[in-house]
Short mmCIF file of all heavy atoms in Angstrom, two decimals:
data_model
loop_
_atom_site.label_atom_id
_atom_site.label_comp_id
_atom_site.label_asym_id
_atom_site.label_seq_id
_atom_site.Cartn_x
_atom_site.Cartn_y
_atom_site.Cartn_z
N LYS K 100 43.97 28.49 126.48
CA LYS K 100 43.27 28.99 125.29
C LYS K 100 43.72 28.26 124.05
O LYS K 100 44.91 28.07 123.84
CB LYS K 100 43.55 30.48 125.11
CG LYS K 100 43.17 31.32 126.32
CD LYS K 100 41.70 31.33 126.54
CE LYS K 100 41.35 32.05 127.83
NZ LYS K 100 39.95 31.94 128.15
N LYS K 101 42.78 27.87 123.22
CA LYS K 101 43.13 27.33 121.92
C LYS K 101 43.40 28.49 120.99
O LYS K 101 42.56 29.37 120.83
CB LYS K 101 41.97 26.50 121.36
CG LYS K 101 41.66 25.26 122.19
CD LYS K 101 40.50 24.51 121.59
CE LYS K 101 40.15 23.29 122.43
NZ LYS K 101 38.99 22.56 121.91
N LYS K 102 44.57 28.50 120.36
CA LYS K 102 44.95 29.63 119.52
C LYS K 102 45.37 29.14 118.15
O LYS K 102 45.88 28.05 118.00
CB LYS K 102 46.09 30.44 120.16
CG LYS K 102 45.68 31.08 121.48
CD LYS K 102 46.82 31.89 122.03
CE LYS K 102 46.47 32.48 123.38
NZ LYS K 102 45.65 33.65 123.28
N ARG K 103 45.18 29.97 117.16
CA ARG K 103 45.70 29.70 115.84
C ARG K 103 46.13 31.01 115.21
O ARG K 103 45.78 32.08 115.69
CB ARG K 103 44.65 29.00 114.96
CG ARG K 103 43.46 29.87 114.59
CD ARG K 103 42.48 29.09 113.75
NE ARG K 103 41.29 29.85 113.46
CZ ARG K 103 41.16 30.66 112.43
NH1 ARG K 103 42.16 30.83 111.61
NH2 ARG K 103 40.03 31.30 112.22
N CYS K 104 46.92 30.93 114.15
CA CYS K 104 47.41 32.14 113.50
C CYS K 104 46.72 32.31 112.16
O CYS K 104 46.51 31.36 111.42
CB CYS K 104 48.92 32.06 113.28
SG CYS K 104 49.82 32.08 114.84
N CYS K 105 46.39 33.51 111.85
CA CYS K 105 45.75 33.78 110.56
C CYS K 105 45.85 35.27 110.31
O CYS K 105 46.30 36.03 111.13
CB CYS K 105 44.29 33.34 110.56
SG CYS K 105 43.26 34.28 111.69
N ASP K 106 45.39 35.71 109.15
CA ASP K 106 45.32 37.14 108.86
C ASP K 106 43.97 37.65 109.33
O ASP K 106 42.94 37.00 109.18
CB ASP K 106 45.47 37.40 107.36
CG ASP K 106 46.89 37.15 106.91
OD1 ASP K 106 47.79 37.35 107.75
OD2 ASP K 106 47.08 36.74 105.75
N LEU K 107 43.98 38.85 109.89
CA LEU K 107 42.76 39.40 110.44
C LEU K 107 41.69 39.55 109.38
O LEU K 107 40.51 39.32 109.64
CB LEU K 107 43.06 40.75 111.09
CG LEU K 107 42.01 41.30 112.06
CD1 LEU K 107 41.86 40.39 113.25
CD2 LEU K 107 42.38 42.70 112.51
N GLU K 108 42.11 39.88 108.17
CA GLU K 108 41.10 40.07 107.14
C GLU K 108 40.43 38.75 106.73
O GLU K 108 39.34 38.76 106.16
CB GLU K 108 41.71 40.74 105.90
CG GLU K 108 42.82 39.94 105.24
CD GLU K 108 44.17 40.60 105.45
OE1 GLU K 108 44.29 41.34 106.44
OE2 GLU K 108 45.06 40.39 104.63
N ASP K 109 41.07 37.61 107.07
CA ASP K 109 40.47 36.33 106.74
C ASP K 109 39.38 35.94 107.73
O ASP K 109 38.63 35.00 107.51
CB ASP K 109 41.55 35.24 106.71
CG ASP K 109 42.52 35.44 105.57
OD1 ASP K 109 42.12 36.11 104.60
OD2 ASP K 109 43.66 34.95 105.65
N ASN K 110 39.35 36.63 108.87
CA ASN K 110 38.37 36.30 109.89
C ASN K 110 37.04 36.99 109.55
O ASN K 110 36.92 38.20 109.55
CB ASN K 110 38.88 36.78 111.26
CG ASN K 110 37.93 36.42 112.37
OD1 ASN K 110 37.36 35.34 112.36
ND2 ASN K 110 37.76 37.32 113.33
N ALA K 111 36.06 36.20 109.24
CA ALA K 111 34.77 36.75 108.85
C ALA K 111 34.18 37.57 109.99
O ALA K 111 34.37 37.27 111.17
CB ALA K 111 33.82 35.61 108.46
N GLU K 112 33.45 38.62 109.65
CA GLU K 112 32.82 39.45 110.65
C GLU K 112 31.86 38.61 111.48
O GLU K 112 31.02 37.88 110.96
CB GLU K 112 32.06 40.59 109.97
CG GLU K 112 32.95 41.68 109.41
CD GLU K 112 33.68 42.42 110.51
OE1 GLU K 112 33.13 42.56 111.62
OE2 GLU K 112 34.81 42.86 110.27
N SER K 113 32.02 38.71 112.79
CA SER K 113 31.21 37.87 113.68
C SER K 113 29.80 38.42 113.84
O SER K 113 28.89 37.69 114.21
CB SER K 113 31.88 37.79 115.05
OG SER K 113 31.97 39.07 115.63
N GLY K 114 29.61 39.72 113.58
CA GLY K 114 28.30 40.31 113.80
C GLY K 114 28.05 40.63 115.25
O GLY K 114 26.97 41.13 115.60
N LEU K 115 29.02 40.35 116.12
CA LEU K 115 28.87 40.60 117.55
C LEU K 115 29.38 41.99 117.89
O LEU K 115 30.27 42.53 117.23
CB LEU K 115 29.66 39.56 118.35
CG LEU K 115 29.26 38.09 118.17
CD1 LEU K 115 30.23 37.19 118.91
CD2 LEU K 115 27.84 37.86 118.65
N GLU K 116 28.83 42.56 118.95
CA GLU K 116 29.37 43.82 119.45
C GLU K 116 30.74 43.56 120.07
O GLU K 116 30.99 42.51 120.66
CB GLU K 116 28.42 44.42 120.49
CG GLU K 116 27.14 44.95 119.87
CD GLU K 116 26.30 45.72 120.87
OE1 GLU K 116 25.89 45.11 121.88
OE2 GLU K 116 26.05 46.92 120.65
N LYS K 117 31.63 44.55 119.93
CA LYS K 117 33.02 44.36 120.33
C LYS K 117 33.31 45.03 121.67
O LYS K 117 32.79 46.11 121.97
CB LYS K 117 33.96 44.93 119.27
CG LYS K 117 33.90 44.24 117.92
CD LYS K 117 34.85 44.92 116.93
CE LYS K 117 34.87 44.19 115.59
NZ LYS K 117 33.58 44.23 114.92
N ILE K 118 34.18 44.38 122.43
CA ILE K 118 34.78 44.97 123.62
C ILE K 118 36.28 45.00 123.36
O ILE K 118 36.91 43.95 123.16
CB ILE K 118 34.47 44.16 124.89
CG1 ILE K 118 32.97 44.16 125.17
CG2 ILE K 118 35.25 44.70 126.09
CD1 ILE K 118 32.56 43.26 126.33
N ILE K 119 36.87 46.19 123.32
CA ILE K 119 38.28 46.34 122.97
C ILE K 119 39.07 46.80 124.19
O ILE K 119 38.73 47.80 124.82
CB ILE K 119 38.47 47.34 121.81
CG1 ILE K 119 37.70 46.86 120.56
CG2 ILE K 119 39.93 47.54 121.48
CD1 ILE K 119 37.80 47.78 119.36
N LEU K 120 40.12 46.04 124.51
CA LEU K 120 40.99 46.40 125.62
C LEU K 120 42.15 47.24 125.12
O LEU K 120 42.81 46.86 124.15
CB LEU K 120 41.54 45.14 126.31
CG LEU K 120 40.55 44.35 127.18
CD1 LEU K 120 39.78 43.34 126.31
CD2 LEU K 120 41.25 43.62 128.30
N VAL K 121 42.39 48.37 125.77
CA VAL K 121 43.52 49.24 125.43
C VAL K 121 44.27 49.58 126.70
O VAL K 121 43.74 49.46 127.81
CB VAL K 121 43.05 50.54 124.73
CG1 VAL K 121 42.40 50.26 123.40
CG2 VAL K 121 42.10 51.32 125.62
N GLY K 122 45.51 50.03 126.54
CA GLY K 122 46.29 50.43 127.70
C GLY K 122 47.77 50.20 127.50
O GLY K 122 48.20 49.61 126.50
N ASN K 123 48.56 50.66 128.47
CA ASN K 123 50.00 50.48 128.44
C ASN K 123 50.37 49.00 128.49
O ASN K 123 49.55 48.17 128.91
CB ASN K 123 50.64 51.17 129.65
CG ASN K 123 50.56 52.68 129.57
OD1 ASN K 123 49.71 53.23 128.88
ND2 ASN K 123 51.42 53.36 130.27
N PRO K 124 51.59 48.65 128.10
CA PRO K 124 52.05 47.27 128.32
C PRO K 124 52.14 46.98 129.83
O PRO K 124 52.29 47.88 130.65
CB PRO K 124 53.44 47.26 127.68
CG PRO K 124 53.48 48.45 126.79
CD PRO K 124 52.60 49.48 127.41
N ASN K 125 52.05 45.71 130.17
CA ASN K 125 52.25 45.24 131.55
C ASN K 125 51.27 45.83 132.56
O ASN K 125 51.64 46.15 133.69
CB ASN K 125 53.69 45.53 132.01
CG ASN K 125 54.73 44.90 131.11
OD1 ASN K 125 54.68 43.72 130.83
ND2 ASN K 125 55.69 45.71 130.66
N VAL K 126 50.02 45.97 132.16
CA VAL K 126 49.01 46.45 133.11
C VAL K 126 47.94 45.39 133.37
O VAL K 126 46.98 45.65 134.10
CB VAL K 126 48.34 47.75 132.62
CG1 VAL K 126 49.34 48.89 132.58
CG2 VAL K 126 47.68 47.56 131.26
N GLY K 127 48.08 44.20 132.78
CA GLY K 127 47.14 43.11 133.03
C GLY K 127 46.04 42.97 132.01
O GLY K 127 45.03 42.30 132.27
N LYS K 128 46.19 43.58 130.81
CA LYS K 128 45.16 43.46 129.78
C LYS K 128 44.93 42.01 129.38
O LYS K 128 43.80 41.57 129.20
CB LYS K 128 45.54 44.27 128.53
CG LYS K 128 45.46 45.77 128.70
CD LYS K 128 45.56 46.51 127.38
CE LYS K 128 46.94 46.43 126.78
NZ LYS K 128 47.16 45.43 125.79
N SER K 129 46.03 41.26 129.23
CA SER K 129 45.91 39.88 128.77
C SER K 129 45.18 39.00 129.77
O SER K 129 44.43 38.09 129.39
CB SER K 129 47.31 39.30 128.49
OG SER K 129 47.94 39.99 127.45
N VAL K 130 45.37 39.27 131.06
CA VAL K 130 44.67 38.50 132.09
C VAL K 130 43.17 38.75 132.00
O VAL K 130 42.36 37.82 132.08
CB VAL K 130 45.20 38.86 133.50
CG1 VAL K 130 44.43 38.10 134.57
CG2 VAL K 130 46.68 38.56 133.61
N ILE K 131 42.79 40.01 131.82
CA ILE K 131 41.37 40.35 131.68
C ILE K 131 40.81 39.76 130.39
O ILE K 131 39.68 39.26 130.35
CB ILE K 131 41.18 41.88 131.74
CG1 ILE K 131 41.57 42.39 133.12
CG2 ILE K 131 39.75 42.27 131.39
CD1 ILE K 131 41.54 43.90 133.27
N PHE K 132 41.61 39.81 129.31
CA PHE K 132 41.18 39.21 128.04
C PHE K 132 40.92 37.71 128.23
O PHE K 132 39.90 37.18 127.79
CB PHE K 132 42.26 39.41 126.97
CG PHE K 132 42.02 38.65 125.70
CD1 PHE K 132 41.14 39.12 124.75
CD2 PHE K 132 42.66 37.44 125.46
CE1 PHE K 132 40.91 38.41 123.57
CE2 PHE K 132 42.44 36.73 124.30
CZ PHE K 132 41.56 37.22 123.35
N ASN K 133 41.84 37.01 128.90
CA ASN K 133 41.67 35.58 129.13
C ASN K 133 40.45 35.29 130.01
O ASN K 133 39.81 34.25 129.86
CB ASN K 133 42.92 35.00 129.79
CG ASN K 133 44.09 34.90 128.83
OD1 ASN K 133 43.90 34.76 127.63
ND2 ASN K 133 45.30 35.01 129.35
N HIS K 134 40.15 36.20 130.91
CA HIS K 134 38.98 36.02 131.78
C HIS K 134 37.68 36.11 130.98
O HIS K 134 36.76 35.30 131.18
CB HIS K 134 38.99 37.07 132.89
CG HIS K 134 37.74 37.08 133.72
ND1 HIS K 134 37.50 36.16 134.72
CD2 HIS K 134 36.64 37.90 133.68
CE1 HIS K 134 36.32 36.41 135.28
NE2 HIS K 134 35.78 37.46 134.65
N PHE K 135 37.62 37.07 130.09
CA PHE K 135 36.37 37.30 129.36
C PHE K 135 36.20 36.41 128.14
O PHE K 135 35.08 36.04 127.81
CB PHE K 135 36.28 38.77 128.93
CG PHE K 135 35.91 39.71 130.03
CD1 PHE K 135 36.67 40.83 130.29
CD2 PHE K 135 34.80 39.47 130.81
CE1 PHE K 135 36.34 41.70 131.31
CE2 PHE K 135 34.44 40.33 131.84
CZ PHE K 135 35.22 41.46 132.10
N SER K 136 37.28 36.08 127.44
CA SER K 136 37.14 35.32 126.20
C SER K 136 36.98 33.84 126.51
O SER K 136 37.48 33.34 127.52
CB SER K 136 38.35 35.54 125.28
OG SER K 136 39.53 35.12 125.92
#
């Protein structure tokens, strides 16, 4: 993944519908995030 650091408020609204991953640590959220993004 290409990543960069910034402040969230600097990221303009994409206008896209959001899919938000929630859950305990160490349950594989990041793997699913990498799959979808």
Side-chain angles (χ1 to χ4, degrees):
K100 303 293 174 187
K101 296 179 181 178
K102 296 182 183 280
R103 68 181 176 88
C104 293
C105 66
D106 288 330
L107 197 64
E108 61 250 25
D109 293 337
N110 182 39
E112 285 295 328
S113 62
L115 299 174
E116 289 188 299
K117 296 178 176 63
I118 296 174
I119 300 179
L120 287 87
V121 296
N123 291 23
N125 302 309
V126 294
K128 289 192 290 97
S129 296
V130 177
I131 295 175
F132 171 80
N133 287 332
H134 172 79
F135 283 127
S136 60

